[in-house]
Amino acid sequence: MSIQSDNFFPIMGEELTCENCLILDMSAGNLALQRIDLMDTFAFESFVAEILAGKGKKYGIGGYAENRSIYQRSMVFADNSIGYRNIHLGVDIWTAAATPVFCPLDGKVHSFQDNAGFGNYGPTVILEHFWRGQKIHSLYGHLSQKDLEQLKPGQIFLSGEKIGHLGQTKENGHWPPHVHFQIIHDLGNRKGDYPGVCSESEKESYLFNCPDPSLWLGELSFR
C-alpha cells in the first residue's frame, strides 16, 4: 500500500475552516481555565461546550506544542523527577460525543487498546501509513469503547473510511469529548499507546518524533 499524495480526507468528515472551527486555548496562560474545577469533568465539559456555542462553532481545535497546566488534574502525567508533563504533542479537536472520526490516508491498524483511567486516552487506535517514502503512524485517542470491538491488527483502512467515534466522558478518560490526533515517526516497542504529552526537558526530541499534524488536517484558513 503506497500513497505519496498529500490529499488527506478530513478526519471529522468535513473540512475544518474558520466557519466551523475556533482555536481553543488550553495553555497555562489561559486564566479562564483557572476559574473552573478541572477535577470536575462535567464543569470542564460545560466550559468547552459553552465557548463553542457562544461563538457558534462546531469544533474547537488546537494545542500542538502547547504548554498546558490542565494535566495536573491527573496522576497519569505525574513524574517524580520533573513534576507534571505539560507539552502537548498532538492536535485536539473538541466537539460532541459520538461524532465520527475518519481515516485521513490509506493505512492499516498497527495496534489499539483501552487506556483506561482518569486523565488517560481511553480507547485508542494507532494506524500505520506509508507517506512521502517512509512509514509513519497516526494516533486517535479518546474514542468510544465500542469502536475497538471489531478491530484487528493489520486491518486495512482506506482514506475516508470511518475509524470510530468520539467517546463519552465516562469512557474517554474523563475528558470533554474530543479526539487527540497525533502523528508519530517511531513508536519504539509501544502498542496501543504513545505519550501525548511530554516534559519541557524532553520537548525537542518528542516534537521531532511527533511533527505538527496540521498538514494532515487541511489548510485551515484561520491559521
Side-chain angles (χ1 to χ4, degrees):
M1 185 184 311
S2 174
I3 277 199
Q4 302 295 325
S5 172
D6 284 347
N7 294 322
F8 298 99
F9 189 88
I11 74 168
M12 305 312 296
E14 61 181 321
E15 296 293 339
L16 301 175
T17 70
C18 60
E19 298 300 321
N20 60 16
C21 285
L22 175 73
I23 296 293
L24 204 54
D25 181 8
M26 290 289 172
S27 73
N30 185 353
L31 299 181
L33 286 168
Q34 300 177 19
R35 295 194 287 269
I36 62 172
D37 180 4
L38 292 174
M39 296 298 293
D40 183 339
T41 304
F42 177 77
F44 194 3
E45 182 176 3
S46 296
F47 172 80
V48 172
E50 288 170 9
I51 290 176
L52 296 182
K55 297 293 184 179
K57 304 297 184 181
K58 184 175 180 180
Y59 305 103
I61 188 170
Y64 179 71
E66 192 171 58
N67 186 324
R68 295 175 165 181
S69 59
I70 59 175
Y71 300 118
Q72 295 181 29
R73 71 192 295 260
S74 171
M75 292 302 293
V76 167
F77 305 99
D79 186 310
N80 291 334
S81 63
I82 58 172
Y84 283 85
R85 292 179 285 130
N86 60 347
I87 304 298
H88 191 239
L89 299 173
V91 165
D92 288 332
I93 304 173
W94 312 78
T95 191
T99 300
V101 177
F102 298 87
C103 181
L105 185 69
D106 289 3
K108 63 182 181 181
V109 175
H110 173 276
S111 53
F112 56 92
Q113 69 181 23
D114 188 355
N115 296 293
F118 187 88
N120 213 330
Y121 275 138
T124 307
V125 175
I126 299 177
L127 302 183
E128 180 181 304
H129 312 271
F130 191 76
W131 180 57
R132 294 185 172 180
Q134 62 180 337
K135 183 168 64 176
I136 195 166
H137 306 86
S138 59
L139 181 149
Y140 310 81
H142 311 295
L143 301 181
S144 170
Q145 289 172 346
K146 68 179 182 180
D147 295 329
L148 304 185
E149 294 175 0
Q150 304 301 319
L151 289 181
K152 298 178 181 178
Q155 180 178 340
I156 300 298
F157 276 100
L158 299 179
S159 176
E161 285 194 279
K162 190 184 299 182
I163 299 169
H165 306 77
L166 269 62
Q168 304 279 348
T169 57
K170 63 183 179 182
E171 62 184 343
N172 76 355
H174 295 271
W175 291 96
H178 72 288
V179 60
H180 171 94
F181 177 64
Q182 185 171 335
I183 56 176
I184 306 156
H185 289 297
D186 184 6
L187 284 169
N189 60 1
R190 295 181 175 90
K191 293 184 179 181
D193 193 13
Y194 187 87
V197 183
C198 72
S199 68
E200 291 188 59
S201 63
E202 302 169 306
K203 178 178 177 179
E204 184 176 353
S205 61
Y206 267 105
L207 292 182
F208 180 80
N209 194 43
C210 303
D212 188 348
S214 296
L215 174 62
W216 290 44
L217 297 175
E219 294 299 324
L220 305 185
S221 59
F222 53 81
R223 283 190 177 276

